[in-house]
Amino acid sequence: MVRSIIMLCIWFFIFFDLPGTSTLIDSLAAGQSIRDGETLVSAGGITKVGFFSPGNSTRRYLGIWYTNVSPITVVWVANRNSPLENNSGVLKLNEKGILELLNGKNSTIWSSNISSKAVNYPIAQLLDSGNFVVKYGQEITNEDSVLWQSFDYPCDSLMPGMKLGWNLETGLERYLSSWRSVDDPALGEYTVKIDLRGYPQIIKFKGPDIISRAGSWNGLSTVGNPGSTRSQKMVINEKEVYFEFELPDRSEFGISSLTPSGT
Ligand SMILES: *[C@@H]1O[C@H](CO)[C@@H](O)[C@H](O)[C@H]1NC(C)=O
Ligand SMILES: *[C@@H]1O[C@H](CO)[C@@H](O)[C@H](O)[C@H]1NC(C)=O
Ligand SMILES: *[C@@H]1O[C@H](CO)[C@@H](O)[C@H](O)[C@H]1NC(C)=O
Ligand SMILES: *[C@@H]1O[C@H](CO)[C@@H](O)[C@H](O)[C@H]1NC(C)=O
């Protein structure tokens, strides 16, 4: 009897309690990795991080996309300027809390950008918002525990809750930059930035040239549908200057993307 209860418990643990054996995990601990073909899925099942090939390309990139949006809409790319030539890529969180993308020769082709002082129990977690966050595993609620986050390094898409603009204390500028083409997420010609000269405004550039000014920040108000519950704001204070929008109704989906042709 005792023996069969123990067996039952073991069986239970094997099938239900080992996140490592399931594909539905949202985070990596130090030393853990995913390889091409595997994904991390956010806790609510809303976003995924994994490997993909854009358009007609056969090259492989590490990206983030929404699970329920079809066709696949990639909102962030890690190695946009350094593609993997085949599906031997591996994403690993190292002991210092740095995300490393390795190719088939174990060379690092991309890594997250943080000072590499030792970190206790770092964890890399994909959130439902689409933000991929590296933080101290033991104090996960404090924003200061964030070591690195993909929201600080936007590609061509602004998602709800993501800041477009400046952290004036650190000098970090978050801006959108277009893909080169639908087949190539490399840095393209167009950027959308917040210009701090004068009253802060959103400006679209082609290379170094200004091609449009939002004038007021309502220039991005085409995000989403009319009648949506979207709220948007421009925050200007001594620490930060940024634009952000929210979709309080979680059943709504909306992102703002800068296309390769600059629209
Ligand atoms: C892929 O290639 C086909 C055939 O050349 C072309 O019709 C299609 O538009 C391409 N799709 C993309 C996304 O580039
Ligand atoms: C994949 O690419 C890497 C580096 O470019 C190379 O070393 C490796 O042999 C390739 N693997 C396969 C299976 O082609
Ligand atoms: C890459 O590293 C892994 C883990 O350390 C090892 O098992 C594998 O043999 C290495 N591959 C190459 C090509 O060095
Ligand atoms: C990494 O940091 C350096 C120096 O702060 C910066 O120039 C570079 O753009 C950063 N790269 C990425 C991928 O964040």
Side-chain angles (χ1 to χ4, degrees):
M1 179 63 186
V2 170
R3 192 189 160 112
S4 66
I5 288 173
I6 290 171
M7 287 309 290
L8 190 67
C9 288
I10 290 173
W11 186 86
F12 189 84
F13 276 105
I14 287 173
F15 286 94
F16 297 103
D17 209 26
L18 285 179
T21 62
S22 150
T23 53
L24 293 177
I25 55 168
D26 70 346
S27 54
L28 295 175
Q32 289 188 324
S33 58
I34 52 169
R35 51 186 61 253
D36 197 328
E38 297 175 332
T39 54
L40 298 178
V41 182
S42 66
I46 294 171
T47 54
K48 272 189 185 178
V49 60
F51 295 83
F52 74 101
S53 292
N56 283 337
S57 173
T58 56
R59 294 171 147 183
R60 304 295 284 168
Y61 296 86
L62 182 81
I64 293 172
W65 60 91
Y66 288 84
T67 49
N68 289 329
V69 177
S70 152
I72 278 192
T73 303
V74 173
V75 291
W76 184 80
V77 184
N79 55 321
R80 58 189 304 192
N81 292 311
S82 46
L84 291 154
E85 297 300 336
N86 60 34
N87 60 3
S88 304
V90 172
L91 175 72
K92 181 178 176 181
L93 182 68
N94 74 18
E95 309 293 329
K96 290 173 176 170
I98 296 174
L99 286 165
E100 292 183 311
L101 188 57
L102 309 172
N103 67 12
K105 287 181 184 147
N106 281 352
S107 311
T108 302
I109 62 151
W110 173 89
S111 71
S112 58
N113 212 3
I114 52 173
S115 61
S116 54
K117 52 187 180 202
V119 170
N120 284 330
Y121 308 110
I123 182 170
Q125 185 174 31
L126 179 65
L127 308 180
D128 282 332
S129 61
N131 195 5
F132 194 27
V133 176
V134 179
K135 59 196 178 182
Y136 296 97
Q138 287 174 325
E139 26 178 316
I140 55 176
T141 50
N142 179 351
E143 196 175 326
D144 289 334
S145 72
V146 171
L147 295 161
W148 178 90
Q149 54 185 344
S150 62
F151 270 18
D152 281 343
Y153 303 94
C155 292
D156 65 344
S157 300
L158 190 69
M159 290 107 85
M162 188 168 170
K163 295 174 180 177
L164 178 75
W166 295 82
N167 179 327
L168 299 174
E169 291 182 320
T170 63
L172 177 73
E173 182 187 12
R174 309 177 196 87
Y175 62 93
L176 302 183
S177 50
S178 64
W179 287 22
R180 191 167 292 162
S181 73
V182 289
D183 300 322
D184 185 358
L187 208 54
E189 281 186 298
Y190 296 92
T191 51
V192 168
K193 303 183 175 191
I194 289 194
D195 187 357
L196 294 178
R197 289 167 298 180
Y199 193 79
Q201 55 178 330
I202 297 171
I203 293 190
K204 182 158 71 182
F205 292 87
K206 180 177 186 181
D209 304 323
I210 292 177
I211 55 170
S212 68
R213 292 171 196 272
S216 85
W217 53 274
N218 283 325
L220 283 195
S221 65
T222 50
V223 180
N225 303 314
S228 110
T229 59
R230 178 192 69 246
S231 63
Q232 53 186 11
K233 61 181 176 187
M234 185 80 149
V235 172
I236 302 174
N237 59 41
E238 62 286 354
K239 291 180 177 172
E240 295 184 286
V241 176
Y242 65 88
F243 171 85
E244 177 180 44
F245 74 97
E246 298 279 358
L247 293 171
D249 179 353
R250 297 197 105 208
S251 67
E252 277 190 79
F253 168 77
I255 60 172
S256 184
S257 288
L258 181 61
T259 69
S261 56
T263 54

